[in-house]
Amino acid sequence: KNQVEQSPQSLIILEGKNCTLQCNYTVSPFSNLRWYKQDTGRGPVSLTIMTFSENTKSNGRYTATLDADTKQSSLHITASQLSDSASYICVVSRGGSQGNLIFGKGTKLSVKP
Amino acid sequence: NAGVTQTPKFQVLKTGQSMTLQCAQDMNHNSMYWYRQDPGMGLRLIYYSASEGTTDKGEVPNGYNVSRLNKREFSLRLESAAPSQTSVYFCASKGGGTGGYTFGSGTRLTVV
């Protein structure tokens, strides 16, 4: 079954600290993996996209990693800010026909002052 | 650029009523999608349109219909709303290749 599992479900950290969010997937065939940030009451916004051959991709303070062998990805946030408080969603795209995105349930991150 | 615009942002319906959710994109994307997001679940695909003039069912199409009016607009219709359709609905569009998906800001629908 095609699934994307994220952990932890929720996380609270202090401003300025780093954190790492995890994503495990069982999706076949694999095309690419995306991380999205979703602020409360808003639509998801893309942070990174990685294909099979890419191990690391950065977008400012966000760094995503991908291990296609173990089917794991992580999103590392450096020097967190209050504005990082949001849900972070891991999305795996299946190869083949359109519309084949498998969404994780997200990790809800709260950054406290 | 406005990106993906959804209307309305909020709606309350009575069971059995009908309504249409509107979505428009100004990025000249070929593909457009409708998702629903429920608490504790990942986004689920309702319908999608790979190009103007085509539509296909996604994972949860029952109770919905769609229209790809032109390249810019993709509407979602609930013919007879049910409480199980209470959800947040997101429209998205995608450019070619591995381009990212752009999401609208959502429509929060409550069916009572």
Side-chain angles (χ1 to χ4, degrees), chain A residues 7-28:
Chain A
S7 62
Q9 190 172 11
S10 62
L11 182 63
I12 301 174
I13 62 173
L14 293 176
E15 186 179 11
K17 298 297 185 182
N18 304 334
C19 68
T20 300
L21 313 180
Q22 301 291 342
C23 173
N24 296 336
Y25 62 92
T26 55
V27 177
S28 182

Side-chain angles (χ1 to χ4, degrees), chain A residues 48-65:
Chain A
T48 64
I49 175 173
M50 289 183 291
T51 59
F52 185 88
S53 60
E54 295 176 296
N55 301 119
T56 303
K57 184 160 284 188
S58 293
N59 178 0
R61 294 179 297 102
Y62 301 102
T63 299
T65 66

Side-chain angles (χ1 to χ4, degrees), chain A residues 9 31-32 34 36 38 40-46 49 51 89 93 97-106, chain B residues 9 31 33 35 37 40-45 48-50 90 94 97-106 108:
Chain A
Q9 190 172 11
S31 177
N32 56 67
R34 309 162 190 262
Y36 282 85
Q38 185 176 21
T40 300
R42 308 290 295 174
V45 174
S46 180
I49 175 173
T51 59
I89 304 173
S93 180
S97 62
Q98 284 262 1
N100 259 321
L101 293 183
I102 311 298
F103 286 79
K105 296 178 182 180
Chain B
K9 293 188 183 303
S31 303
Y33 308 81
Y35 290 92
Q37 186 175 39
M41 302 184 72
L43 274 76
R44 292 181 293 169
L45 182 64
Y48 66 97
S49 171
F90 288 99
K94 181 183 180 297
T98 57
Y101 291 71
T102 301
F103 287 84
S105 58
R108 185 173 295 274

Side-chain angles (χ1 to χ4, degrees), chain A residues 22-26 52 65-74:
Chain A
Q22 301 291 342
C23 173
N24 296 336
Y25 62 92
T26 55
F52 185 88
T65 66
L66 174 63
D67 186 332
D69 291 331
T70 62
K71 298 187 177 182
Q72 295 180 325
S73 176
S74 65

